[in-house]
């Protein structure tokens, strides 16, 4: 029986992160994420005029993230080929999702985002944060192990 190659593992790690993002979006949708996110963005903008994050309606937020997850899944063949062009995207996405998972965990610990924005614990999106964190770390590990082996340009 052949062991999976490093690029096959990278592909599975990519799909795993895409599915973890989908699970996280579902968790956020069912636990009222936007009721915390939008007021937090408004407060951040009032404090820091440069703050770049937008506010969303539920429909545009949900559809945008559904399209994002579908695009991630559509890029899976590139991950299974260890395509050079996908590697920096995978690294950035992993880092961003680690920060996302840590943010939901810290929000749960503190029970607020700003002094004026409190919520009951756990924070929306908290339940899926460990899965998101593990999938992100696993993708980074697979990126490292497949770094100089078997890579092709895309």
């Amino acid at each position: 029986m052949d062991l999976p190659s490093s690029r096959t593992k990278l592909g599975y790690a990519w799909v795993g992160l895409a599915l973890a993002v989908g699970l996280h979006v579902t968790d956020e949708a069912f636990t009222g994420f936007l009721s915390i996110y939008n007021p937090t963005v408004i407060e951040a903008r009032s404090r820091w005029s440069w703050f770049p994050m937008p506010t969303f309606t539920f429909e545009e937020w949900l559809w945008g993230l559904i399209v994002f997850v579908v695009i991630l899944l559509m890029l899976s063949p590139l991950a299974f080929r260890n395509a050079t062009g996908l590697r920096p995207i995978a690294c950035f996405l992993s880092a961003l999702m680690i920060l996302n998972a840590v943010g939901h965990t810290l929000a749960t610990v503190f029970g607020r985002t700003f002094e004026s924005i409190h919520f009951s614990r756990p924070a929306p999106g908290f339940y899926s944060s460990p899965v998101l964190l593990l999938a992100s770390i696993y993708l980074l590990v697979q990126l490292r192990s497949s770094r100089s082996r078997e890579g092709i340009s895309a």
Side-chain angles (χ1 to χ4, degrees), residues 53-65:
M53 299 302 292
T55 57
F56 296 102
T57 65
F58 181 77
E59 292 78 17
E60 65 189 3
W61 170 81
L62 184 60
W63 280 109
L65 287 172

Side-chain angles (χ1 to χ4, degrees), residues 80-124:
F80 279 100
R81 287 180 21 219
N82 194 8
T84 305
L86 190 66
R87 296 179 63 79
I89 295 167
C91 188
F92 175 77
L93 180 62
S94 293
L96 186 64
M97 292 302 110
I98 288 170
L99 291 174
N100 188 347
V102 169
H104 284 277
T105 303
L106 289 175
T108 296
V109 169
F110 294 114
R112 65 185 174 92
T113 55
F114 284 103
E115 299 81 22
S116 61
I117 303 169
H118 291 263
F119 48 85
S120 60
R121 294 178 193 165

Side-chain angles (χ1 to χ4, degrees), residues 2-18:
D2 291 333
L3 294 174
S5 69
S6 61
R7 71 183 200 185
T8 301
K9 289 179 184 177
L10 180 63
Y12 287 135
W14 177 269
V15 171
L17 183 56

